[in-house]
């Protein structure tokens, strides 16, 4: 066990993949000698060479298109999109080619490509650097979409994503890159990366969240405990496929459910979760399923982001409403 930040845990995961899989290639803007904007690829170019850790042009469509071609030829590319808002030029390659090649070829041509995307706000960044665009990709059949929440999940899930053989959109909550935690490299201990996990047990209400919001909801649960309320927090981890079994098992016990995410609420992933929970747990619910989300507007300038992002107070206000029914 080592105590690592999320960025360092991801770096260790990439290093292990490169050591174990000679077909693995890391590619993206500034991933080479610079080590990436968030230093997730720090030192990899020096140790594995520029032929396996490739600095690309500033051209996201080209990055993903090249990765698709490499995957067809038997390589295992790991692409880095420098910031969430930069992925849109590659959108056509992802949804029209990467997501559909296996189905188009009746399973004959798998595309084991992992696309790493730092996501979300909370770092005081400029426009296009704080997006939460997971719903676009979760809606696209043929892609796996996963998101880590802490150093241990980041390390294990990245290695699992590389091993699964499917195209994976791998989100990393950039506001948590500097959060530290204990990390084991023993993959035999890891739960399946497409399974939701209970992050904190509770009895009064179920709080469903993912990515950067997991730490926020755990903070809210700690405050609620001091007020005599017990919140169960579930980290979804996989957004497509969506693992609702642990969520529904929890809701059947608590009778109440709150969904929290950074992305705007309208047509966000929370709507799918609310629908699934309502369909499967209707007769167990003591209150409507509620959501706490980002607001339905473009991500604001940095000085206003604290008013935009869900925080522990907004979560606790929703819990008060939930328990008031």
């Amino acid at each position: 066990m080592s105590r690592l930040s999320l960025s360092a845990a991801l770096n260790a995961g990439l290093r292990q993949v490169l050591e174990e899989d000679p077909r693995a290639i890391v590619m993206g803007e500034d991933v080479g000698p610079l080590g990436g904007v968030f230093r997730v690829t720090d030192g990899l170019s020096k140790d594995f060479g520029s032929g396996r850790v490739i600095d690309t042009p500033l051209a996201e469509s080209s990055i993903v298109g090249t990765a698709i071609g490499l995957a067809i030829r038997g390589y295992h590319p790991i692409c880095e999109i420098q910031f969430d808002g930069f992925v849109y030029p590659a959108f056509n390659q992802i949804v029209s080619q990467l997501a559909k090649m296996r189905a188009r070829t009746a399973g004959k041509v798998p595309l084991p490509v992992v696309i790493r995307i730092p996501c979300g706000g909370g770092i005081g960044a400029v426009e296009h650097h704080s997006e939460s665009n997971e719903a676009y990709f979760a809606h696209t059949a043929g892609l796996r979409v996963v998101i880590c929440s802490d150093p241990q999940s980041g390390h294990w899930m990245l290695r699992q994503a590389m091993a699964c053989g499917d195209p994976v959109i791998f989100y990393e909550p950039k506001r948590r890159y500097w959060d530290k935690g204990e990390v084991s490299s023993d993959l035999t201990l890891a739960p399946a990366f497409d399974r939701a996990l209970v992050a904190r047990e509770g009895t009064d209400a179920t709080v469903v969240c993912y990515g950067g919001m997991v730490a926020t909801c755990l903070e809210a649960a700690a405050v609620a405990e001091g007020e005599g309320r017990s919140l169960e927090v579930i980290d979804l981890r996989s957004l497509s496929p969506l693992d609702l079994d642990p969520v529904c098992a929890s809701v059947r016990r608590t009778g109440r459910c709150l969904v929290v995410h950074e992305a705007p609420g309208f047509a966000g992933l929370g709507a799918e979760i609310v629908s699934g929970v309502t369909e499967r747990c209707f007769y167990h619910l003591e209150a409507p399923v509620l959501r706490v989300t980002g607001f339905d507007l473009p991500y604001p300038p940095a000085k206003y982001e604290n008013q935009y992002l869900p925080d522990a107070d907004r979560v606790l206000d929703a819990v008060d409403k939930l328990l008031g029914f």
Side-chain angles (χ1 to χ4, degrees):
M1 296 285 285
S2 303
R3 187 166 179 80
L4 300 174
S5 65
L6 174 56
S7 61
L10 292 165
N11 177 277
L14 288 171
R15 179 176 296 277
Q16 198 144 356
V17 167
L18 289 167
E19 288 174 349
E20 295 174 352
D21 183 357
R23 297 169 296 172
I25 298 172
V26 173
M27 53 194 298
E29 298 159 15
D30 297 322
V31 300
L34 180 66
V37 171
F38 297 103
R39 301 300 183 264
V40 173
T41 58
D42 189 38
L44 299 182
S45 177
K46 175 175 67 69
D47 294 340
F48 296 96
S50 60
R52 297 190 66 200
V53 182
I54 304 167
D55 269 333
T56 66
L58 200 162
E60 287 76 15
S61 182
S62 175
I63 293 169
V64 176
T66 301
I68 291 170
L70 286 165
I72 290 172
R73 298 297 294 173
Y75 291 93
H76 295 165
I78 313 166
C79 303
E80 177 180 304
I81 302 298
Q82 199 170 70
F83 283 91
D84 33 40
F86 298 175
V87 75
Y88 301 120
F91 195 80
N92 182 52
Q93 293 281 9
I94 295 171
V95 303
S96 299
Q97 308 300 334
L98 184 64
K100 294 180 171 59
M101 185 65 74
R102 186 193 288 269
R104 183 184 300 145
T105 62
K108 294 182 176 65
V109 182
L111 292 180
V113 177
V114 174
I115 301 177
R116 295 179 40 248
I117 306 177
C119 66
I123 65 167
V126 297
E127 189 180 20
H128 308 307
H129 290 67
S130 301
E131 304 291 310
S132 295
N133 45 30
E134 63 272 11
Y136 295 131
F137 299 113
H139 186 71
T140 303
L143 296 174
R144 288 183 180 267
V145 183
V146 300
I147 182 167
C148 58
S149 61
D150 57 32
Q152 183 64 84
S153 67
H155 180 82
W156 276 343
M157 290 174 70
L158 183 55
R159 292 171 59 194
Q160 291 170 314
M162 277 301 298
C164 80
D166 294 325
V168 180
I169 305 297
F170 190 94
Y171 280 109
E172 303 163 7
K174 65 177 80 73
R175 69 194 297 193
R176 305 301 177 196
Y177 271 138
W178 301 276
D179 292 1
K180 291 188 175 182
E182 296 297 322
V183 176
S184 167
S185 62
D186 187 353
L187 206 56
T188 64
L189 301 175
F193 80 130
D194 58 357
R195 293 291 176 261
L197 297 179
V198 176
R200 178 185 175 117
E201 294 183 348
T203 57
D204 295 335
T206 302
V207 181
V208 184
C209 51
Y210 55 87
M213 285 292 102
V214 174
T216 300
C217 292
L218 288 172
E219 177 190 352
V223 174
E225 183 180 35
E227 299 172 350
R229 296 172 294 177
S230 175
L231 304 182
E232 182 146 296
V233 178
I234 296 183
D235 179 359
L236 282 178
R237 297 169 16 110
S238 177
L239 309 184
S240 180
L242 195 59
D243 179 23
L244 287 182
D245 287 348
V247 175
C248 291
S250 176
V251 173
R252 290 185 185 108
R253 287 188 292 100
T254 67
R256 292 173 169 82
C257 183
L258 174 67
V259 182
V260 183
H261 60 66
E262 281 190 41
F266 184 78
L269 199 73
E272 180 66 27
I273 299 165
V274 170
S275 174
V277 169
T278 302
E279 289 172 3
R280 295 169 60 175
C281 303
F282 183 79
Y283 292 105
H284 294 82
L285 290 171
E286 302 291 340
V289 184
L290 302 181
R291 288 180 290 170
V292 174
T293 70
F295 297 110
D296 296 328
L297 47 81
Y299 197 88
K303 65 180 179 180
Y304 299 120
E305 72 175 352
N306 287 337
Q307 283 72 51
Y308 175 87
L309 291 169
D311 59 12
D313 286 339
R314 285 180 61 192
V315 173
L316 290 169
D317 285 346
V319 168
D320 287 342
K321 184 176 180 181
L322 199 62
L323 296 176
F325 280 96

